[in-house]
Amino acid sequence: MDTQPLYDLAPIARIMLLGVVIALGPLAWVWLRNRDAAPAQRLRVLTLVTLFLTFDLVLFGAFTRLTDSGLGCPDWPGCYGSVSPVGAKESIAAAQAAMPTGPVTFSKAWIEMIHRYLATGVGVLILVLAAVSWVERRRLTVSFWWPMVTLVWVCLQGAFGALTVTMKLFPAIVTLHLLGGMALLALLRAQSVAYELSAPDSVGRIGVPALARRVLVGVVALIWIQIALGGWVSTNYAVLACSDFPTCQGSWWPDMDFAHGFTLWRELGMTQAGFGLPFAALTAIHYVHRLSAYLVFAGMGWLAWLLWSTPQTRRIAKGLLLLAAWQFASGLTNVVLDWPLLAALAHIAGAAALVILTTSALMSTRSADQTSAASALNLSRSTP
């Protein structure tokens, strides 16, 4: 029996064309709504639209994984060498008949391919952002390197997407793919804020107390670590290792196997030696994420308190408190209700929203000490 090659580039041109077709809708909307605007304004709107669609793509990628559809098409970039499951119906039917409870079904194949179509569309939008920024670089106050770096990053993200399939949901690769999607959100939000700050009516970056700025940087670092730990929980299917709260398996310190749980380079459900992953390893993966969450919530609360005193940053503080409550509620729901799909998606959406919010906060604020120093320097230059 012939096996399907992992990489079959035959349908790549048609999939790329489909990505162009998907991108034409947002591009036409941005052009029609902003045809009389300056290039910077059009690019800002296009960046925001791309950010919105990337957020949707991250959620749909999570939906693909949570419905076990990641191997619905076991090759890349097409489905059994076809551009869609329609052309692969005989191969899909044969795979499903050979393994009725396996990873390949018609519905899973469609979910996987829709994710790839959406990813291709987002890639085309980012390519347009990079191309237009390069052409208009002399008329823009925002560096064209932002979209260039984003374009390189989305190409790397596509490579990780391919490896996710061809390496059979290897946990480290899947986690890196999730982090790559979050990083793409951060890059796009940073660009949109840069355009906002360069607008003629912008008041510039907001000065905040030096302590608040340092805490903000620390909280951002903690959030990224927490997202990595959460991705490791999800990709190892360790959510249900603790089904009670606040204890785990009725204990404040359950039996845990950190060595096997945090061995990064291994196959799904296996130890590095090729044996089945012990349940204590899954417990360690889950409980470390939970303990880390307490630290993140404490940091977010402290940061919100520091930012609340400044009227210009109070909206950021409110967003932090709202998202902290959202993440706690959705995370708790996953534990006590046996990981329902809606709660899992809500938890990932909250993490993505936190990345966007904190990136915006980093880009739009600076230490009050820096603000005072900059003002003093400008004053000295203007004084004869």
Side-chain angles (χ1 to χ4, degrees), residues 167-190:
M167 293 185 69
K168 310 300 181 185
L169 305 182
F170 205 83
I173 298 298
V174 178
T175 302
L176 286 173
H177 191 49
L178 170 65
L179 288 172
M182 296 294 182
L184 192 57
L185 289 174
L187 283 168
L188 289 167
R189 182 53 183 154

Side-chain angles (χ1 to χ4, degrees), residues 90-126:
E90 293 182 1
S91 297
I92 295 173
Q96 190 171 358
M99 192 181 296
T101 59
V104 179
T105 66
F106 282 101
S107 61
K108 290 179 179 180
W110 272 113
I111 291 171
E112 170 63 14
M113 288 308 298
I114 289 173
H115 176 58
R116 296 183 195 179
Y117 300 152
L118 293 175
T120 307
V122 167
V124 171
L125 290 175
I126 292 174

Side-chain angles (χ1 to χ4, degrees), residues 255 257 259-261 269-271 275-285:
D255 181 35
D257 184 346
H260 285 119
M270 308 295 288
T271 65
F275 301 104
L277 196 66
F279 187 74
L282 298 178
T283 305
I285 293 170

Side-chain angles (χ1 to χ4, degrees), residues 183-235:
L184 192 57
L185 289 174
L187 283 168
L188 289 167
R189 182 53 183 154
Q191 288 172 67
S192 66
V193 173
Y195 280 115
E196 292 167 9
L197 292 174
S198 68
D201 57 346
S202 172
V203 297
R205 298 172 69 186
I206 304 168
V208 298
L211 176 61
R213 180 69 183 179
R214 289 195 295 268
V215 173
L216 171 60
V217 173
V219 168
V220 169
L222 286 174
I223 287 172
W224 278 96
I225 293 171
Q226 183 68 356
I227 291 173
L229 290 171
W232 194 241
V233 171
S234 181
T235 55

Side-chain angles (χ1 to χ4, degrees), residues 93-175:
Q96 190 171 358
M99 192 181 296
T101 59
V104 179
T105 66
F106 282 101
S107 61
K108 290 179 179 180
W110 272 113
I111 291 171
E112 170 63 14
M113 288 308 298
I114 289 173
H115 176 58
R116 296 183 195 179
Y117 300 152
L118 293 175
T120 307
V122 167
V124 171
L125 290 175
I126 292 174
L127 177 61
V128 171
L129 277 172
V132 176
S133 297
W134 174 260
V135 171
E136 300 284 355
R137 65 189 183 280
R138 299 185 186 281
R139 300 170 60 187
L140 299 176
T141 56
V142 175
S143 173
F144 65 88
W145 284 110
W146 277 114
M148 295 299 172
V149 171
T150 307
L151 178 60
V152 172
W153 190 263
V154 80
C155 292
L156 289 174
Q157 182 68 351
F160 274 111
L163 289 174
T164 295
V165 176
T166 57
M167 293 185 69
K168 310 300 181 185
L169 305 182
F170 205 83
I173 298 298
V174 178
T175 302

Side-chain angles (χ1 to χ4, degrees), residues 30-49:
V30 170
W31 174 259
L32 291 173
R33 291 291 299 267
N34 300 273
R35 56 184 177 273
D36 297 325
Q41 171 64 11
R42 285 200 297 268
L43 283 169
R44 185 185 74 85
V45 175
L46 181 56
T47 302
L48 287 171
V49 170

Side-chain angles (χ1 to χ4, degrees), residues 22-69:
I22 293 171
L24 282 177
L27 287 171
W29 183 85
V30 170
W31 174 259
L32 291 173
R33 291 291 299 267
N34 300 273
R35 56 184 177 273
D36 297 325
Q41 171 64 11
R42 285 200 297 268
L43 283 169
R44 185 185 74 85
V45 175
L46 181 56
T47 302
L48 287 171
V49 170
T50 306
L51 173 64
F52 173 77
L53 293 175
T54 303
F55 183 89
D56 296 335
L57 176 62
V58 169
L59 285 189
F60 198 86
F63 176 77
T64 301
R65 177 167 44 82
L66 292 167
T67 55
D68 295 322
S69 302

